[in-house]
Amino acid sequence: MSRKSPQLSKSTTQSGRHGLPPSAKLTQPKLTPYVGFFAVGYILASALFMIIQTKFPLNAQMVTVLSIIMGAYIAVQKFIKHQQRALDSSEINRLMFGGVAVVWLLTVVYFLGIWFFLFDAVSREVLLDMSMQQPLPLLSALIMILVLSLVSARISIWALNRLLDPNRKAS
């Protein structure tokens, strides 16, 4: 006499996270425009803080975190407005890495502009000599600001996603 083993796998008729059918999870929205919204928010906040810094001295790390929070707010708010749902965890990760990558590309462009248009040959020589003699403080500062960017982007996207989630507001 053979016994039938119980079905342990989930049924494909169950609804997925956020009440969506499993087939809807296969077609995830493209996050490229939302990474762009993240970058626009970051640029606007950075420009605003540059204007504020002409009158009041502000901590550079605080300005970075607040600019990233503003970029995350704009990106998450636009996503929820367009998609009528909150981001899932893989979308949060993709938006975080994409947003931080764009922020760092913009920072590289900014520093290259300063390097070529603001510094003269003597200033460039002095900066190169200083960075060659003691590269560790520069590298540690770059790693610290990268970690700060990633952590603040992750926390702000997650928190804003939960705060602006239309399903949480309705219940």
Side-chain angles (χ1 to χ4, degrees):
M1 177 179 245
S2 68
R3 295 175 66 184
K4 199 173 192 181
S5 64
Q7 181 74 7
L8 295 178
S9 65
K10 289 186 178 179
S11 172
T12 58
T13 60
Q14 281 185 328
S15 64
R17 189 170 169 202
H18 300 295
L20 296 175
S23 60
K25 296 301 269 182
L26 298 176
T27 58
Q28 289 186 348
K30 293 196 180 283
L31 290 180
T32 307
Y34 305 108
V35 171
F37 289 132
F38 188 100
V40 168
Y42 177 81
I43 291 169
L44 290 174
S46 295
L48 178 69
F49 285 121
M50 284 182 193
I51 292 169
I52 292 172
Q53 282 181 323
T54 61
K55 303 293 181 198
F56 304 106
L58 297 174
N59 186 338
Q61 290 83 8
M62 181 184 72
V63 168
T64 300
V65 169
L66 291 175
S67 297
I68 286 175
I69 291 171
M70 178 62 81
Y73 173 76
I74 291 173
V76 170
Q77 189 266 341
K78 289 291 186 181
F79 182 90
I80 290 174
K81 181 180 176 185
H82 293 159
Q83 303 297 324
Q84 299 297 315
R85 66 174 180 88
L87 292 149
D88 64 13
S89 62
S90 69
E91 291 168 337
I92 289 173
N93 289 334
R94 288 176 25 220
L95 183 60
M96 175 196 64
F97 285 120
V100 170
V102 168
V103 164
W104 276 88
L105 285 174
L106 291 171
T107 304
V108 166
V109 169
Y110 177 74
F111 281 124
L112 285 175
I114 288 173
W115 182 263
F116 288 117
F117 297 117
L118 190 62
F119 291 156
D120 58 355
V122 175
S123 298
R124 287 186 208 123
E125 182 79 25
V126 168
L127 282 172
L128 283 175
D129 286 344
M130 285 173 44
S131 61
M132 293 301 210
Q133 287 177 4
Q134 291 186 341
L136 198 55
L138 179 63
L139 288 175
S140 64
L142 285 173
I143 290 171
M144 292 290 284
I145 198 73
L146 179 62
V147 169
L148 178 72
S149 305
L150 287 168
V151 168
S152 63
R154 173 66 180 182
I155 291 172
S156 62
I157 290 171
W158 173 80
L160 290 166
N161 188 47
R162 287 183 54 92
L163 182 68
L164 299 174
D165 185 2
N167 293 334
R168 288 178 57 103
K169 287 181 181 177
S171 58

